[in-house]
Amino acid sequence: MNPQIVQRIADRLQARDKRFVSRNEFFKVIGAALARTLGVSLNDPVSVLSSALQSHCGDAFRVVQGGRTLYVAINLPDEAFLLDKARRLTTFTPAQLALNLPMPKARVAPALTRLLESGEILCIGLKSDFTPILRLSGSRKPSDSIAVSTSQPPDEQTALSQLPNDETALHQAFLEIGQGRNFVAIHRLRAHLGWERQRFDQTVLRLQSAERILLNMGDPTRLTRSELEGTYMDRNGMRYLTLNWLESRP
């Protein structure tokens, strides 16, 4: 796995506010140079593209048959794609929500059922033909899971006093947990430090902006619910599981 390639693809998807694109659009998104790095072209069989992504990106992305076409998607739980689409709609039916998603149709109903059971999506009525009318729960806004975009930044004096200590503490936690490895699970760092979510996320954001750490995606299905909550999600809804420290010291 090459974290730099993963990050380049993720950045280009983020620039378009996308978590998935059709197979054809994927080549427009990554561009010719990155396609050459991956060793793939638009005319290659799907198996070649899948193999190249697996080789260079591990489990960060998946190639999957949706209802109408093939998609290249960030490897997120099915519920994440339904919630992402629900945020873009006011009210919707199950059929409307299921359109153009990067998953087989057979997986949409179970994922939607889980979201209804958890209260993240609500049924607010029925149409004349008894089709359910749904909407996103009022308590389930993007801000709930995208802490960076909603949390109030600390005042200037607090930021100045916390920044060096927080960087040092995060780096020390990275060294202690990693024990020589070049990457560490973000949920382990968060648990080790025990900071409030806002403080941890803002420290990570500052370090990323300063290009001192590299955030990596991965396969979130391997994590428990508690571990998944301890990962880092940016303002575009991209979830990161591990980080690399790009400097020898903070």
Side-chain angles (χ1 to χ4, degrees):
M1 176 178 171
N2 188 320
Q4 286 74 27
I5 292 179
V6 173
Q7 192 69 55
R8 288 170 66 188
I9 295 174
D11 287 345
R12 297 186 186 193
L13 288 170
Q14 286 185 36
R16 292 163 175 79
D17 193 22
K18 300 279 190 178
R19 292 186 175 190
F20 63 91
V21 291
S22 69
R23 178 177 176 272
N24 289 351
E25 187 180 358
F26 177 71
F27 285 92
K28 297 178 182 178
V29 168
I30 65 172
L34 190 48
R36 285 194 296 271
T37 300
L38 291 171
V40 294
S41 70
L42 181 60
N43 297 322
D44 286 333
V46 175
S47 59
V48 173
L49 176 59
S50 297
S51 178
L53 285 173
Q54 178 68 33
S55 175
H56 291 278
C57 304
D59 295 324
F61 304 99
R62 67 191 188 207
V63 181
V64 61
Q65 178 66 53
R68 296 182 177 179
T69 188
L70 282 163
Y71 293 99
V72 177
I74 298 171
N75 198 0
L76 296 170
D78 292 341
E79 291 91 330
F81 295 111
L82 269 67
L83 286 171
D84 185 58
K85 186 167 185 179
R87 293 185 188 111
R88 303 169 191 267
L89 303 170
T90 304
T91 61
F92 46 88
T93 66
Q96 290 170 332
L97 188 64
L99 285 175
N100 304 322
L101 290 175
M103 66 184 75
K105 285 186 176 180
R107 284 180 19 201
V108 174
L112 178 55
T113 298
R114 290 191 290 270
L115 291 172
L116 287 164
E117 290 175 344
S118 69
E120 294 182 276
I121 287 180
L122 303 177
C123 179
I124 59 173
L126 299 174
K127 298 178 71 173
S128 59
D129 61 356
F130 299 103
T131 299
I133 302 172
L134 310 175
R135 69 168 172 82
L136 192 67
S137 169
S139 63
R140 184 57 160 89
K141 301 174 183 177
S143 58
D144 290 340
S145 58
I146 307 175
V148 172
S149 63
T150 62
S151 55
Q152 293 296 320
D155 58 70
E156 183 176 358
Q157 186 61 41
T158 302
L160 288 174
S161 64
Q162 282 189 348
L163 181 56
N165 289 336
D166 285 357
E167 285 188 356
T168 300
L170 186 57
H171 185 251
Q172 184 61 37
F174 177 90
L175 295 176
E176 292 175 4
I177 296 172
Q179 296 185 357
R181 293 192 301 272
N182 63 354
F183 69 93
V184 168
I186 293 172
H187 71 83
R188 294 188 64 193
L189 289 169
R190 193 187 294 274
H192 181 87
L193 290 166
W195 294 344
E196 64 174 3
R197 192 170 196 88
Q198 174 182 333
R199 180 182 177 187
F200 183 93
D201 287 355
Q202 287 180 344
T203 303
V204 168
L205 179 61
R206 289 194 297 263
L207 288 166
Q208 183 191 35
S209 298
E211 299 184 350
R212 299 179 68 181
I213 60 172
L214 177 67
L215 299 176
N216 311 303
M217 291 179 290
D219 182 5
T221 62
R222 298 179 179 179
L223 302 182
T224 65
R225 180 176 293 275
S226 175
E227 291 171 341
L228 196 62
E229 291 175 352
T231 58
Y232 174 79
M233 187 177 287
D234 70 11
R235 69 187 65 221
N236 294 309
M238 295 292 195
R239 187 180 296 279
Y240 298 93
L241 276 58
T242 65
L243 67 80
N244 298 70
W245 206 280
L246 300 181
E247 296 182 345
S248 59
R249 59 182 178 84

